[in-house]
Amino acid sequence: MTSADRYAVAGNPVAHSRSPHIHSLFAQQTGQAVDYGRLLCPLDAFAATVQAFAGEGARGCNVTVPFKFEAFALAARRTPRAELAQAANVLRFDTDAQGGWLADNTDGIGLVRDITVNAGVPLAGQRVLLIGAGGASAGVMGPFIEAGCAELVVANRTVAKAEELVARHADVARQHGVRLSARSLQDAGEAFDVVVNGTATSLSGAGVPVGTQVLRTGSLALDMMYGPAAQGFLDWACGHGATGRDGLGMLVEQAAESFLLWRGVRPDTAPVLRELRALVDAPAA
C-alpha cells in the first residue's frame, strides 16, 4: 500500500481549524492518498517550521493567520493571483528541479464561488464594500474585480493601507471597468449590494467596524470568519435588513482550489459544505 502524501494547515493558532476534516472528506471523495494535519508555527519561526515540514517529505500546506505575507515571500514561484495579492494561503513544495516552491492564493476565488454559486448572489454589476486591508482582503480583491463588480470600495482604519491595495489593483480594475477607491471606516459609503468583513474584529470580539448605513435591505453581508466568531456580525446584518452569511463556504471553496493545485482534481464541495455546516451549527453539548 502506498503511503499518503502529507499536507497541513500552518498558522497560529491552528487547533480550531476545520481544514483537516475538509481535506479528509475531499480525499475520501476523490480517492486521493492524502494525510492532512495541523502545523502550529511559533510567531517568530514560520519559515523554519514550514521548511522543516517540507524537509520531512511533506508535499504542501495551507497558510492561515498571521503568516500569509511570509508564505508569499518564502516561495520561489507565485501564481498571478498570489502576485496581485502579495500574500499566499497555499504552498506547494515543488522540488528545485521543478522550479522550487509555488505560492498561490485561493481565498478570493473561494469567496467569489461561495457568493455566486453557493449563495446564488451575482457579483457582476454590484457595488461591493470590503472592510479591512490585511492579507484576507488582499487575497480577494483581484477575483472580485474579475467577477465584474461595478464598484469596489476598500475601507480600513488606516486609509493608507487601503490606498496601497487600491494602487496595486488599479491596472486590473481599469481592464475590467471597475471603480476602485479607498475610504476610512467612518466614511465607507452607503447602501452596498455586498459587504464583506475581512478584518479580525470578529475573532477579537470587537464590534462591527462600520456603520449601518453601508447596508441596504437585502444586502449580502458576509463575515470571513465562521461559527461563534461570526455571530455578532451576522446578528448586526440581519438586524438591519441584510442577509448575513459566514465564511464557512469560503473556507470549503478555497480548500477545494488548494486540493486542485496539489492533486490535479477538484472535489465536489456541496456535500462537504453541508456536512461542515451541520457540525458548525450543532448546539454545544
Side-chain angles (χ1 to χ4, degrees), residues 3-285:
S3 62
D5 291 328
R6 291 178 64 203
Y7 300 89
V9 55
N12 188 331
V14 287
H16 69 289
S17 176
R18 301 272 179 176
S19 292
H21 188 174
I22 293 169
H23 282 277
S24 72
L25 293 174
F26 287 167
Q28 289 167 29
Q29 183 196 110
T30 59
Q32 295 283 313
V34 166
D35 173 10
Y36 189 109
R38 296 179 178 88
L39 188 66
L40 178 64
C41 302
L43 292 176
D44 60 352
F46 170 75
T49 307
V50 171
Q51 285 161 346
F53 182 60
E56 294 165 3
R59 300 287 299 275
C61 67
N62 284 118
V63 181
T64 186
V65 290
F67 300 120
K68 292 182 182 183
F69 296 115
E70 283 187 67
F72 175 83
L74 265 185
R77 298 176 298 142
R78 293 97 174 217
T79 64
R81 56 194 180 192
E83 285 283 6
L84 195 57
Q86 298 281 294
N89 73 319
V90 191
L91 291 171
R92 193 176 70 195
F93 303 147
D94 292 352
T95 64
D96 290 344
Q98 292 168 313
W101 287 14
L102 176 69
D104 194 8
N105 194 311
T106 64
D107 282 335
I109 192 67
L111 180 56
V112 166
R113 186 176 167 85
D114 182 56
I115 290 172
T116 58
V117 177
N118 299 336
V121 174
L123 284 171
Q126 304 292 287
R127 296 180 60 245
V128 178
L129 172 64
L130 184 57
I131 309 166
S137 296
V140 305
M141 278 186 71
F144 266 115
I145 291 166
E146 288 162 5
C149 59
E151 180 181 10
L152 180 58
V153 174
V154 184
N156 195 55
R157 186 166 49 87
T158 308
V159 180
K161 273 191 77 177
E163 288 171 341
E164 281 176 33
L165 270 188
V166 165
R168 195 159 74 234
H169 290 79
D171 286 345
V172 69
R174 270 193 296 273
Q175 291 164 21
H176 288 83
V178 177
R179 297 193 306 277
L180 202 54
S181 60
R183 305 259 186 94
S184 69
L185 294 174
Q186 294 74 31
D187 183 33
E190 56 188 44
F192 288 92
D193 301 304
V194 178
V195 175
V196 176
N197 183 21
T199 71
T201 51
S202 297
L203 269 184
S204 63
V208 176
V210 292
T212 57
Q213 75 278 1
V214 303
L215 301 172
R216 62 164 178 77
T217 302
S219 296
L220 176 68
L222 186 146
D223 195 304
M224 290 192 196
M225 300 300 161
Y226 60 88
Q231 200 56 53
F233 183 86
L234 302 187
D235 291 345
W236 168 81
C238 295
H240 294 92
T243 300
R245 188 173 182 85
D246 71 4
L248 193 66
M250 174 189 179
L251 178 71
V252 172
E253 296 295 344
Q254 65 79 24
E257 293 291 330
S258 302
F259 198 89
L260 174 62
L261 182 78
W262 293 328
R263 312 301 299 179
V265 57
R266 193 184 196 283
D268 179 8
T269 53
V272 176
L273 181 53
R274 280 196 300 273
E275 180 167 333
L276 263 288
R277 175 58 65 199
L279 276 175
V280 169
D281 290 352

